[in-house]
């Protein structure tokens, strides 16, 4: 501000707060002129330390105002800070494209229109990435010897790619299977599981939990083999036919169910057949009895036999002596089918059986998707009804004393 004194101009200064007050009084700094999300104000900061002798003069002990010109007082999109409409819209479009379409397309409502150079080697648009689903064990259903429940969260974003299906593959893995060549059984979540075409051993469902129903998918397998190593893989398919990367879960089912009291009875029966002179009929009875039981049950019979009657010769020696090397080998080689993990548990002092019942929601779609239109149907738009059923699972508990 300048003041004219005759032919001379004098520069006049004023405090910043006084300057702002003058602008507000003149209505030059109104809410209409302020940029959204920005405010101008002053904060008082700093004080001369009492130990400083230069500050002991009158007035020096007072607070010294320090202006703070710009401060964001609420969260707003960056493009909202731009006042020019054309620039603002261009900036908004660039940010949306960068976030949802990898910067290689435009956001149109809730999908991505890819640029002409945004196509993969198969000729499919790839400006909107297809995230891989993360397959996991359902936390509410503990795997048993035959039942496993798997789940995953929906990966369809709010804008961009549209998921039409999830494909789940499962196979039993063993030393005789080339896991890269053998793909196992493949199931379409939309066409096989939700349509009800799957067998009674595999079904679409949902476990009870806090996750919203629309974002969680689940599959329950009810007829797996005990003590088996299984590999499950999952990938998503979008409405253009693209496949996501695979998500894999490998697990071993729980050990086979064993009736421990029955195993002890068989061990007593075999001892009585082996004890003393063994006729041909008794030998055949012992052989038939041991061949009829499962491998895990045979392991438990051996455990009880050796626990009670080892002083008369252990189970292996007595079987070879009574039945002959050939028949004994046919029986004993079945013990090799028991995994090292289960063989350790089957040596427990006591084994008890229990039954658990789990609530589970089995789901089916209310509509039939026309054949040949799989890629163009959005899975999230499928109407699904669910009903609660109870799944029974038998388990063994292992311990060193009864009741544990």
């Amino acid at each position: 501000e300048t003041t004219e004194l005759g032919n001379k101009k004098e520069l006049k200064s004023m405090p910043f707060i006084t300057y702002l007050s003058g602008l507000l009084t003149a209505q030059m700094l109104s809410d209409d002129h302020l940029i959204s999300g920005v405010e101008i104000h002053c904060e008082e900061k700093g004080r001369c330390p009492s130990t400083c002798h230069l500050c002991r003069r009158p007035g020096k002990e007072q607070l010294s105002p320090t202006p703070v010109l710009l401060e964001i007082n609420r969260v707003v999109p960056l493009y909202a800070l731009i006042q020019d409409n054309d620039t603002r819209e261009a900036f908004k479009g660039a940010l949306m494209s960068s976030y949802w379409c990898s910067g290689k397309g435009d956001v149109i409502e809730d999908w991505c229109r890819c640029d002409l150079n945004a196509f993969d080697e198969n000729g499919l648009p790839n400006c909107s990435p297809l995230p891989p689903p993360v397959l996991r064990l359902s936390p509410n259903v503990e795997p048993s010897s035959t039942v496993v429940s798997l789940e995953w969260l929906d990966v369809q974003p709010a804008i961009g790619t549209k998921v039409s299906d999830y494909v789940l593959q499962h196979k039993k893995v063993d030393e005789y299977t080339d896991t890269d060549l053998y793909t196992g059984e493949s199931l379409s979540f939309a066409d096989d599981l939700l349509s009800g075409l799957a067998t009674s051993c595999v079904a679409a469902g949902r476990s009870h939990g806090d996750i919203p129903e629309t974002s969680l998918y689940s599959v329950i397998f009810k007829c797996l083999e005990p003590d088996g190593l299984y590999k499950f893989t999952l990938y998503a398919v979008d409405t253009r036919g693209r496949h996501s990367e695979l998500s894999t879960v490998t697990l071993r089912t729980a050990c086979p169910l064993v009736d421990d009291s029955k195993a002890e009875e068989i061990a007593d029966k075999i001892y009585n057949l082996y004890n003393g002179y063994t006729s041909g009929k008794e030998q055949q009875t012992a052989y038939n009895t041991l061949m009829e039981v499962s491998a895990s049950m045979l392991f438990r019979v051996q455990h009880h036999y050796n626990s009670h009657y080892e002083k008369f010769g252990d189970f292996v020696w007595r079987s070879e002596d009574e039945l002959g090397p050939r028949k004994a080998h046919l029986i004993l080689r079945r013990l090799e089918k028991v995994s090292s993990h289960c063989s350790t548990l089957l040596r427990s002092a006591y084994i008890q059986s229990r039954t658990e019942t789990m609530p589970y929601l089995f789901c089916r779609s209310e509509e039939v998707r026309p054949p040949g239109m799989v890629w163009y149907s959005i899975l999230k738009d499928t109407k699904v009804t669910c009903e609660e059923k109870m799944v029974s699972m038998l388990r063994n508990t292992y311990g060193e004393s009864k009741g544990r």
Side-chain angles (χ1 to χ4, degrees), residues 58-76:
K60 287 292 183 181
E61 295 86 356
Q62 301 302 317
L63 293 174
S64 175
T66 303
V68 179
L69 291 179
L70 295 177
E71 181 174 310
I72 304 298
N73 63 352
R74 66 178 184 272
V75 177
V76 293

Side-chain angles (χ1 to χ4, degrees), residues 97-123:
S97 173
S98 175
Y99 189 79
W100 296 109
C101 310
S102 304
K104 297 184 290 184
D106 299 320
V107 173
I108 309 297
E109 294 181 348
D110 66 342
W111 57 279
C112 285
R113 181 179 63 191
C114 296
D115 296 339
L116 292 177
N117 59 350
F119 289 83
D120 60 17
E121 63 276 5
N122 299 316

Side-chain angles (χ1 to χ4, degrees), residues 157-300:
I159 295 175
T161 188
K162 298 291 181 284
V163 175
S164 66
D165 200 3
Y166 292 96
V167 178
L168 185 65
Q169 296 175 334
H170 68 284
K171 58 186 174 183
K172 190 172 184 291
V173 182
D174 55 45
E175 59 183 338
Y176 308 108
T177 303
D178 188 332
T179 56
D180 294 329
L181 295 177
Y182 173 58
T183 58
E185 185 178 0
S186 181
L187 293 170
S188 161
F189 187 78
D191 292 338
D192 296 329
L193 299 175
L194 285 182
S195 65
L197 296 179
T199 65
S200 59
C201 290
V202 188
R206 221 169 25 242
S207 55
H208 286 266
D210 300 329
I211 300 175
E213 296 178 354
T214 55
S215 64
L216 182 70
Y217 297 106
S218 181
V219 172
I220 186 168
F221 293 85
K222 297 183 288 182
C223 307
L224 301 180
E225 295 182 19
D227 194 19
L229 185 63
Y230 284 88
K231 182 179 181 181
F232 301 89
T233 58
L234 177 74
Y235 63 86
V237 182
D238 74 357
T239 53
R240 293 162 172 169
R242 291 184 305 168
H243 290 191
S244 72
E245 294 181 2
L246 294 175
S247 177
T248 303
V249 169
T250 303
L251 61 88
R252 182 174 290 278
T253 51
C255 300
L257 295 173
V258 171
D259 186 341
D260 198 38
S261 59
K262 182 69 174 178
E264 196 165 7
E265 291 177 6
I266 294 175
D268 290 339
K269 176 181 178 180
I270 297 301
Y271 167 73
N272 291 328
L273 291 171
Y274 286 173
N275 190 22
Y277 172 76
T278 307
S279 65
K281 182 179 179 180
E282 290 172 325
Q283 290 176 354
Q284 190 62 38
T285 300
Y287 174 76
N288 292 341
T289 301
L290 295 175
M291 289 296 288
E292 287 170 359
V293 298
S294 65
S296 55
M297 192 72 163
L298 179 62
F299 196 100
R300 194 61 182 170

Side-chain angles (χ1 to χ4, degrees), residues 9 36 60 83 86 97 127 144 192 293 348 369 382 389:
K9 289 187 179 179
S36 174
K60 287 292 183 181
Q83 298 305 295
D86 292 338
S97 173
C127 68
S144 71
D192 296 329
V293 298
S348 302
R369 305 206 304 181
T382 304
K389 292 187 178 181

